[in-house]
Short mmCIF file of all heavy atoms in Angstrom, two decimals:
data_model
loop_
_atom_site.label_atom_id
_atom_site.label_comp_id
_atom_site.label_asym_id
_atom_site.label_seq_id
_atom_site.Cartn_x
_atom_site.Cartn_y
_atom_site.Cartn_z
N GLY A 160 121.37 62.13 56.03
CA GLY A 160 121.96 61.92 54.71
C GLY A 160 122.43 63.21 54.06
O GLY A 160 121.83 64.27 54.23
N VAL A 161 123.55 63.13 53.34
CA VAL A 161 124.14 64.28 52.67
C VAL A 161 124.15 64.03 51.17
O VAL A 161 124.51 62.95 50.72
CB VAL A 161 125.57 64.55 53.18
CG1 VAL A 161 126.25 65.66 52.38
CG2 VAL A 161 125.54 64.91 54.66
N LEU A 162 123.76 65.02 50.39
CA LEU A 162 123.82 64.94 48.94
C LEU A 162 125.29 64.90 48.53
O LEU A 162 126.05 65.84 48.82
CB LEU A 162 123.11 66.15 48.32
CG LEU A 162 122.77 66.09 46.83
CD1 LEU A 162 121.79 64.96 46.55
CD2 LEU A 162 122.18 67.42 46.37
N ALA A 163 125.71 63.81 47.89
CA ALA A 163 127.13 63.56 47.65
C ALA A 163 127.80 64.69 46.87
O ALA A 163 128.88 65.15 47.23
CB ALA A 163 127.30 62.23 46.92
N GLU A 164 127.17 65.14 45.80
CA GLU A 164 127.80 66.15 44.94
C GLU A 164 127.82 67.52 45.60
O GLU A 164 128.83 68.22 45.61
CB GLU A 164 127.07 66.22 43.60
CG GLU A 164 127.70 67.20 42.62
CD GLU A 164 126.97 67.23 41.29
OE1 GLU A 164 126.09 66.37 41.06
OE2 GLU A 164 127.28 68.11 40.48
N ARG A 165 126.69 67.92 46.17
CA ARG A 165 126.57 69.25 46.76
C ARG A 165 127.00 69.31 48.22
O ARG A 165 127.26 70.38 48.75
CB ARG A 165 125.11 69.72 46.64
CG ARG A 165 124.70 70.07 45.22
CD ARG A 165 125.34 71.36 44.81
NE ARG A 165 125.14 71.65 43.39
CZ ARG A 165 125.63 72.72 42.79
NH1 ARG A 165 126.35 73.59 43.47
NH2 ARG A 165 125.42 72.92 41.51
N ARG A 166 127.03 68.14 48.88
CA ARG A 166 127.37 68.05 50.31
C ARG A 166 126.47 68.95 51.15
O ARG A 166 126.92 69.70 52.00
CB ARG A 166 128.86 68.36 50.51
CG ARG A 166 129.76 67.27 49.95
CD ARG A 166 131.21 67.66 49.91
NE ARG A 166 131.75 67.88 51.25
CZ ARG A 166 133.00 68.30 51.47
NH1 ARG A 166 133.79 68.56 50.45
NH2 ARG A 166 133.43 68.46 52.71
N THR A 167 125.20 68.87 50.86
CA THR A 167 124.18 69.54 51.66
C THR A 167 123.25 68.48 52.24
O THR A 167 123.09 67.41 51.66
CB THR A 167 123.35 70.53 50.81
OG1 THR A 167 122.83 69.85 49.65
CG2 THR A 167 124.21 71.70 50.35
N PRO A 168 122.62 68.76 53.40
CA PRO A 168 121.75 67.75 54.06
C PRO A 168 120.41 67.62 53.34
O PRO A 168 119.38 68.12 53.79
CB PRO A 168 121.60 68.31 55.47
CG PRO A 168 121.75 69.78 55.31
CD PRO A 168 122.74 69.98 54.21
N ALA A 169 120.43 66.92 52.21
CA ALA A 169 119.28 66.90 51.30
C ALA A 169 118.02 66.34 51.96
O ALA A 169 116.92 66.89 51.80
CB ALA A 169 119.62 66.09 50.06
N ALA A 170 118.16 65.21 52.69
CA ALA A 170 116.98 64.60 53.30
C ALA A 170 116.33 65.53 54.31
O ALA A 170 115.10 65.66 54.37
CB ALA A 170 117.37 63.28 53.96
N ALA A 171 117.15 66.19 55.11
CA ALA A 171 116.62 67.13 56.11
C ALA A 171 115.96 68.33 55.44
O ALA A 171 114.95 68.85 55.93
CB ALA A 171 117.75 67.60 57.03
N ILE A 172 116.52 68.78 54.31
CA ILE A 172 115.93 69.90 53.58
C ILE A 172 114.55 69.53 53.06
O ILE A 172 113.58 70.30 53.19
CB ILE A 172 116.85 70.34 52.43
CG1 ILE A 172 118.11 71.00 53.00
CG2 ILE A 172 116.13 71.30 51.48
CD1 ILE A 172 119.19 71.26 51.96
N VAL A 173 114.43 68.34 52.48
CA VAL A 173 113.13 67.89 51.96
C VAL A 173 112.11 67.78 53.09
O VAL A 173 110.97 68.25 52.98
CB VAL A 173 113.28 66.54 51.23
CG1 VAL A 173 111.91 65.96 50.89
CG2 VAL A 173 114.12 66.71 49.96
N ALA A 174 112.52 67.18 54.20
CA ALA A 174 111.60 66.96 55.31
C ALA A 174 111.11 68.29 55.91
O ALA A 174 109.90 68.47 56.13
CB ALA A 174 112.26 66.12 56.39
N THR A 175 112.02 69.20 56.18
CA THR A 175 111.62 70.47 56.79
C THR A 175 110.77 71.31 55.83
O THR A 175 109.84 72.00 56.27
CB THR A 175 112.84 71.28 57.25
OG1 THR A 175 113.78 71.40 56.17
CG2 THR A 175 113.53 70.59 58.42
N THR A 176 111.07 71.23 54.55
CA THR A 176 110.27 71.97 53.56
C THR A 176 108.85 71.42 53.51
O THR A 176 107.88 72.19 53.46
CB THR A 176 110.92 71.90 52.17
OG1 THR A 176 112.24 72.47 52.23
CG2 THR A 176 110.10 72.67 51.14
N LEU A 177 108.72 70.09 53.52
CA LEU A 177 107.38 69.48 53.48
C LEU A 177 106.56 69.85 54.72
O LEU A 177 105.37 70.14 54.63
CB LEU A 177 107.51 67.97 53.35
CG LEU A 177 107.97 67.44 51.99
CD1 LEU A 177 108.17 65.93 52.05
CD2 LEU A 177 106.97 67.81 50.89
N VAL A 178 107.21 69.84 55.89
CA VAL A 178 106.50 70.21 57.13
C VAL A 178 106.04 71.65 57.06
O VAL A 178 104.92 71.99 57.45
CB VAL A 178 107.39 69.96 58.36
CG1 VAL A 178 106.73 70.52 59.61
CG2 VAL A 178 107.65 68.47 58.53
N ALA A 179 106.92 72.54 56.57
CA ALA A 179 106.54 73.95 56.45
C ALA A 179 105.36 74.13 55.50
O ALA A 179 104.45 74.93 55.77
CB ALA A 179 107.74 74.77 55.97
N ILE A 180 105.36 73.37 54.42
CA ILE A 180 104.24 73.45 53.47
C ILE A 180 102.94 73.02 54.14
O ILE A 180 101.90 73.67 53.98
CB ILE A 180 104.53 72.58 52.22
CG1 ILE A 180 105.63 73.24 51.37
CG2 ILE A 180 103.27 72.37 51.39
CD1 ILE A 180 106.11 72.37 50.22
N VAL A 181 102.98 71.93 54.89
CA VAL A 181 101.79 71.47 55.60
C VAL A 181 101.30 72.53 56.58
O VAL A 181 100.10 72.80 56.69
CB VAL A 181 102.08 70.14 56.33
CG1 VAL A 181 100.92 69.77 57.25
CG2 VAL A 181 102.32 69.03 55.32
N LEU A 182 102.22 73.16 57.30
CA LEU A 182 101.83 74.18 58.27
C LEU A 182 101.15 75.37 57.61
O LEU A 182 100.24 75.96 58.19
CB LEU A 182 103.06 74.64 59.05
CG LEU A 182 103.60 73.67 60.10
CD1 LEU A 182 104.94 74.14 60.63
CD2 LEU A 182 102.60 73.51 61.24
N THR A 183 101.56 75.72 56.40
CA THR A 183 100.90 76.84 55.72
C THR A 183 99.44 76.53 55.40
O THR A 183 98.62 77.44 55.26
CB THR A 183 101.62 77.21 54.41
OG1 THR A 183 101.53 76.12 53.48
CG2 THR A 183 103.07 77.57 54.66
N LEU A 184 99.12 75.24 55.31
CA LEU A 184 97.76 74.82 54.98
C LEU A 184 96.88 74.67 56.21
O LEU A 184 95.68 74.46 56.09
CB LEU A 184 97.79 73.48 54.22
CG LEU A 184 98.60 73.46 52.92
CD1 LEU A 184 98.64 72.05 52.35
CD2 LEU A 184 98.02 74.43 51.90
N THR A 185 97.48 74.77 57.38
CA THR A 185 96.73 74.48 58.60
C THR A 185 96.62 75.65 59.57
O THR A 185 96.03 75.48 60.64
CB THR A 185 97.36 73.29 59.34
OG1 THR A 185 98.73 73.61 59.66
CG2 THR A 185 97.33 72.03 58.50
N GLY A 186 97.20 76.79 59.26
CA GLY A 186 97.14 77.90 60.20
C GLY A 186 97.34 79.24 59.53
O GLY A 186 97.89 79.32 58.42
N SER A 187 96.90 80.29 60.21
CA SER A 187 97.10 81.66 59.72
C SER A 187 98.47 82.15 60.14
O SER A 187 99.16 81.53 60.95
CB SER A 187 96.02 82.57 60.30
OG SER A 187 96.19 82.69 61.71
N LEU A 188 98.86 83.28 59.59
CA LEU A 188 100.14 83.88 59.94
C LEU A 188 100.21 84.16 61.44
O LEU A 188 101.21 83.86 62.10
CB LEU A 188 100.34 85.17 59.15
CG LEU A 188 101.56 86.02 59.51
CD1 LEU A 188 102.83 85.22 59.35
CD2 LEU A 188 101.59 87.29 58.67
N ALA A 189 99.13 84.71 62.01
CA ALA A 189 99.13 85.03 63.45
C ALA A 189 99.27 83.76 64.28
O ALA A 189 100.04 83.71 65.25
CB ALA A 189 97.85 85.76 63.81
N THR A 190 98.54 82.70 63.92
CA THR A 190 98.60 81.44 64.67
C THR A 190 99.99 80.83 64.63
O THR A 190 100.51 80.34 65.64
CB THR A 190 97.57 80.44 64.10
OG1 THR A 190 96.27 81.01 64.18
CG2 THR A 190 97.61 79.13 64.86
N LEU A 191 100.61 80.88 63.45
CA LEU A 191 101.92 80.28 63.30
C LEU A 191 103.00 81.05 64.04
O LEU A 191 104.01 80.48 64.48
CB LEU A 191 102.28 80.20 61.81
CG LEU A 191 101.41 79.26 60.96
CD1 LEU A 191 101.74 79.42 59.49
CD2 LEU A 191 101.59 77.82 61.40
N ALA A 192 102.81 82.35 64.19
CA ALA A 192 103.86 83.20 64.78
C ALA A 192 103.81 83.28 66.30
O ALA A 192 104.82 83.59 66.93
CB ALA A 192 103.76 84.60 64.19
N GLN A 193 102.67 83.00 66.91
CA GLN A 193 102.47 83.29 68.33
C GLN A 193 103.38 82.52 69.28
O GLN A 193 103.76 83.00 70.34
CB GLN A 193 101.01 83.06 68.73
CG GLN A 193 100.08 84.16 68.26
CD GLN A 193 98.62 83.84 68.54
OE1 GLN A 193 98.27 82.68 68.74
NE2 GLN A 193 97.80 84.85 68.55
N THR A 194 103.74 81.29 68.92
CA THR A 194 104.51 80.46 69.85
C THR A 194 106.02 80.53 69.64
O THR A 194 106.78 79.98 70.43
CB THR A 194 104.09 78.98 69.72
OG1 THR A 194 104.33 78.56 68.38
CG2 THR A 194 102.64 78.80 70.06
N VAL A 195 106.45 81.20 68.56
CA VAL A 195 107.87 81.17 68.20
C VAL A 195 108.76 81.74 69.31
O VAL A 195 109.75 81.11 69.72
CB VAL A 195 108.12 81.91 66.88
CG1 VAL A 195 109.61 82.06 66.60
CG2 VAL A 195 107.44 81.18 65.73
#
């Protein structure tokens, strides 16, 4: 889905932001960085 006025992928932005927030609550900086 695209935000009609801004023409940005709003749904994808919300989803990826929420996942990133969850990840900050479940791991340390070192743990999150090791597999990248």
